Amino acid sequence: MLEFFSHNSGEVVTLIIEHLFLVVVSVGIAVAIGVPLGILLTRKPALSKPILGFANIMQTVPSLALFGFLIPLNLYLFHFKILGGIGARTAIVALVLYSLLPIIRNTFTGISNVDPAIREAGRGMGMTDRQLLFQVELPLALGVIIAGIRVATVICVGTATIAAAIDAGGLGRYIFRGLRANDNTLILAGAVPAALIALCADLLLGYAERAILLSNAVKQNAKKVLWAGGAVATAVLLFGIVTALRAGPAQKIVVGSKDFTEQVILGELLAQAIEAKTDRQVVRRFDLGGNLAHEALVAGEIDLYVEYTGTGLLAILKEKPLADPQQVYRRVQAEYSKRFNAHWTEPLGFNNTFAILVRGDDARKFNLKTVTDAAKISAQWRAGFGQDFMSRADGYPGFGKAYGFHFQEIREMDLSLTYRALAEKQVDLIAGNSTDGLISRYGLFQLDDDRHYFPPYDAVPVVRQAALDKHPALRGLLKQLEGVLSVDEMRKLNYAVDGEKRQPKDVVREFLARKGLLLDSKIALLK
């Protein structure tokens, strides 16, 4: 763990600052909205049920579902996008919604519980409602209000880890990478700093809360602590704003990827090839879950990413499966151009189809060679499938019927966890990807798809036509990548990251150098 932090100190610090930025901005906005709303409820009690009810409902909505609702909205204010798409903007909106309830409720409760006799005394002294609020009610309720902010902050620190699923940065990146690669060190590298941030924020605000309720001497110390906390929050905020301004799209090419190891490697491959062969800067927006990479491409938030022909045909275009690879490629190329103004370039050279996997010991014990062999004994087996495989048109519903599977039990889980579940004998059969490095790591056996159920999944860079028009050099560069990767080479690259725990950027740099796609000067610069 310490060795990991020492080798990746720069990245760890960057992710901590990104995480703090999300939390500081979100809690700040939630306080600016929640405290006035709480005060309003004390003056208009009839509004308490709908407002608190709304805040309550927002807090119960699962974070990934909330992202799914917010991403397609695309709301603008004077040509400035204020909501929608991927990135920190949408994550902050979600975190604000999660933080509102404790702030509104504590403000309402704190002011409502002020002794009525004290209010009457104030009015008797001739105070106006404004003076009564700022000089009597708010000071007396401040401890309760800060307790609400304290709860909201701790919730926000924990929830912000999920923001990495929509490319909003933060410590969740390590957690997601760790889950993908079954790497506990990476998971702890994200979870431990996040827990420490939550603990520090809780102690800081708890100290301020107690100070308000106790003596003047403690109050003086609390002021110093709050000033120090405010200075840190301001510094984080300024850093985030400056970083955001510096990261403007200008003449940069934005490369995206989905949220699994192979996609991060392919995204890094495109990025390094562009950096090596052009003078353009590259912005990496990796780890986009579900169909976010496609949605980001259509929305113009990324310029290119690697898609699979079968996925484009079935999951994006919602068309029927086709068996001929060339027919699938021509179909998605024509439809993407027509519907999304996006261009499928030349295939990278490998087909990453679904792989039906069993443990090597079981394959030898039962003499299993094909999927049909496994179907015959499936009644005594438990299967583990990713959510994607369970819901796709070419996934389990059709696959189960085609081969006549009748499992004892089917467990639906994250794809990366199915490998570990199979290796630890929690399940007996899974559907992975044919190029996954984890197949070698866990000694798994891939059954032959003897009825040719799965369509081809050739990996191909997809690029926006607008990006090709803006950066003409891209077209020739992507053509050079045609056929650059075989199935075996892709599996080795995946294993280098998942099995040997190496960084994708290092693995890709060595691969491009071997293929002669990096200039010597660029290799030196990338080291």
Side-chain angles (χ1 to χ4, degrees), residues 22 25-31 33 58 90-101 103 156:
L22 290 173
V25 173
S26 302
V27 174
I29 295 173
V31 169
I33 296 172
M58 283 297 102
T90 298
I92 287 171
V93 172
L95 292 175
V96 168
L97 292 173
Y98 283 125
S99 305
L100 278 177
L101 180 62
I103 297 174
C156 199

Side-chain angles (χ1 to χ4, degrees), residues 4 9 56 76 95 151 161 209 211 228 260 283 285 287 353-354 370 401 419 446 453 457 468 497 511 514 520 522:
F4 177 86
S9 55
N56 212 349
Y76 288 83
L95 292 175
V151 172
T161 54
E209 181 188 342
F260 53 93
V283 176
R285 304 196 73 173
D287 297 309
T353 187
F354 281 111
T370 66
K401 285 182 185 174
Y419 288 88
Q446 180 177 345
Y453 171 77
Y457 291 90
L468 288 176
V497 175
F511 174 77
R514 276 202 310 274
D520 292 341
K522 295 286 184 180

Side-chain angles (χ1 to χ4, degrees), residues 46 112 207 224 231 305 517:
S112 298
Y207 185 73
K224 294 178 184 175
Y305 77 104
L517 292 169

Side-chain angles (χ1 to χ4, degrees), residues 157-200:
V157 171
T159 311
T161 54
I162 203 77
I166 58 168
D167 190 40
L171 292 162
R173 282 199 193 280
Y174 278 156
I175 296 175
F176 279 102
R177 286 181 201 170
L179 287 172
R180 279 199 312 267
N182 288 319
D183 188 335
N184 290 334
T185 302
L186 270 175
I187 295 172
L188 288 173
V192 171
L196 290 176
I197 291 172
L199 191 62
C200 290

Side-chain angles (χ1 to χ4, degrees), residues 17-18 21 25 80 87-89 92 236-250 252 283 285:
I17 291 175
E18 287 177 356
F21 176 74
V25 173
F80 179 75
R89 186 189 307 109
I92 287 171
V236 170
L237 197 60
L238 289 174
F239 176 85
I241 293 170
V242 170
T243 303
L245 291 174
R246 288 176 61 191
K252 297 176 180 176
V283 176
R285 304 196 73 173

